[in-house]
């Protein structure tokens, strides 16, 4: 525990010392958390951006109570070109199911993904900023929590500033789970409350053939402690019966220079 605290302290100290030196040389840090929408922004070439946190999801259906705890849900984003970044993500999950007096736990590595994001347009007064994200869920981790085979997916991200304080981001794409294609969408409204504090509201979901569509709502806040360090908190609930009832989460994002 002491070693972990020392590492976090060293990281924050490094970000503080480099803040003034780098703030005028690089654009504002934009993250892909805590909302479900992927931004159309690309990480600065040569920089590593790390976005991590935890989520707690809860569901109760016909007496079956399920708790899904995602620990160290982490995404590494590395800028390779002005218009392209590489991405690698993973999570450690613990799922607890209770029914009457019976309880079952499953825990291990989950949600391992490899992918890249490419910018298509920079955006202007009429055209939104557009990017495409291609990723693959990898069959590596706890057997019960990962797919049997690699499962590809893609989504287009559309981002547009409305004025100095409001912006929108929408995603449209597809993902394959168990060989079944699913259409995915999200639409988020970002609100700049102050120079450091932001908020968002979002509607997102998916729909597959022969299955009922899944719709969810979430909202949250972000706070930039400094140019290269951001904290966040979010929560959401289900608008459909086929997904978990609600979730809460929190995390942080930081970036390191080349």
């Amino acid at each position: 525990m002491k070693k972990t605290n020392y590492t976090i302290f060293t990281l924050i100290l490094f970000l503080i010392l480099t803040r003034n030196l780098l703030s005028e040389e690089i654009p504002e840090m934009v993250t892909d958390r805590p909302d479900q929408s992927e931004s159309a922004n690309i990480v600065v070439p040569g920089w590593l951006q790390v976005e991590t946190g935890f989520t707690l999801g809860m569901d109760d259906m016909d007496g079956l109570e399920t708790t899904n705890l995602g620990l160290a849900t982490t995404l590494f984003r590395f800028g390779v070109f002005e218009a392209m970044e590489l991405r690698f993500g993973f999570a450690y999950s613990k799922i607890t199911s209770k029914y009457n007096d019976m309880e079952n736990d499953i825990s291990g590595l989950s949600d391992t993904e490899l992918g890249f994001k490419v910018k298509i347009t920079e955006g202007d007064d009429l055209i939104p900023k557009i990017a495409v994200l291609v990723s693959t869920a990898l069959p590596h981790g706890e057997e019960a929590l990962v797919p049997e085979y690699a499962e590809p997916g893609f989504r287009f991200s559309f981002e547009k500033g409305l004025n100095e304080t409001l912006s929108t981001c929408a995603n449209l794409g597809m993902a394959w789970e168990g060989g079944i294609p699913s259409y995915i969408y999200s639409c988020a409204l970002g609100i700049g409350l102050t120079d450091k504090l932001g908020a968002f509201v979002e509607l997102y979901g998916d729909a597959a053939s022969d299955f009922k569509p899944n719709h969810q709502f979430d909202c949250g806040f972000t706070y930039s402690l400094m140019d290269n360090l951001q904290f966040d908190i979010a929560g959401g609930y289900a608008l459909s019966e086929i997904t978990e009832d609600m979730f809460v989460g929190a995390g942080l994002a930081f970036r390191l220079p080349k």
Side-chain angles (χ1 to χ4, degrees):
M1 180 63 69
K2 291 183 178 180
K3 183 177 181 181
T4 301
N5 291 338
Y6 176 77
T7 301
I8 295 175
F9 172 78
T10 303
L11 172 62
I12 294 177
L13 179 61
F14 171 79
L15 294 173
I16 292 175
L17 293 176
T18 58
R19 176 180 58 178
N20 294 332
L21 175 64
L22 300 171
S23 61
E24 298 180 358
E25 301 177 2
I26 59 174
E28 178 185 2
M29 183 174 70
V30 178
T31 66
D32 283 349
R33 62 166 298 123
D35 58 3
Q36 306 301 314
S37 298
E38 306 286 356
S39 74
N41 287 272
I42 304 296
V43 173
V44 178
W47 284 63
L48 174 65
Q49 187 162 306
V50 183
E51 305 176 10
T52 187
F54 79 92
T55 58
L56 175 63
M58 292 160 283
D59 184 58
D60 187 350
M61 180 178 292
D62 298 328
L64 176 62
E65 299 179 2
T66 303
T67 302
N68 187 350
L69 178 61
L71 297 172
T73 303
T74 304
L75 173 65
F76 295 93
R77 303 170 58 191
F78 181 74
V80 290
F81 303 112
E82 289 288 342
M84 181 179 180
E85 68 177 45
L86 299 179
R87 303 160 64 92
F88 173 72
F90 67 89
Y92 185 90
S93 299
K94 180 180 180 181
I95 300 177
T96 302
S97 301
K98 295 182 180 180
Y99 186 77
N100 294 332
D101 295 330
M102 300 176 60
E103 181 174 325
N104 182 52
D105 288 334
I106 302 174
S107 61
L109 189 64
S110 66
D111 295 334
T112 305
E113 288 196 5
L114 185 65
F116 62 89
K117 186 194 293 186
V118 176
K119 183 191 303 180
I120 299 177
T121 66
E122 188 65 46
D124 55 29
D125 292 338
L126 298 177
I127 301 175
K129 183 182 294 185
I130 304 174
V132 59
L133 170 62
V134 179
S135 62
T136 301
L138 303 176
H140 298 292
E142 175 61 34
E143 183 177 359
L145 300 176
V146 299
E148 184 177 359
Y149 304 101
E151 296 179 342
F154 71 89
R155 67 174 67 193
F156 288 91
S157 176
F158 307 88
E159 193 169 327
K160 184 77 170 122
L162 302 178
N163 54 40
E164 293 183 356
T165 59
L166 297 178
S167 63
T168 61
C169 182
N171 287 182
L172 290 173
M174 294 184 67
W176 281 259
E177 297 183 7
I180 300 175
S182 177
Y183 300 93
I184 56 179
Y185 78 92
S186 68
C187 183
L189 175 66
I191 308 166
L193 301 176
T194 69
D195 291 341
K196 295 182 178 294
L197 181 64
F200 75 91
V201 291
E202 179 183 44
L203 181 67
Y204 64 98
D206 58 79
S209 300
D210 301 326
F211 290 90
K212 292 182 179 180
N214 167 35
H215 305 293
Q216 291 179 276
F217 170 85
D218 66 346
C219 60
F221 297 91
T222 61
Y223 183 79
S224 297
L225 183 62
M226 57 189 71
D227 295 333
N228 298 314
L229 180 62
Q230 173 185 287
F231 294 94
D232 62 64
I233 184 171
Y237 62 89
L239 302 177
S240 307
E241 296 180 356
I242 62 174
T243 188
E244 62 187 13
D245 294 336
M246 61 172 294
F247 78 90
V248 293
L252 61 88
F254 60 89
R255 59 182 175 181
L256 302 173
K258 57 185 177 181

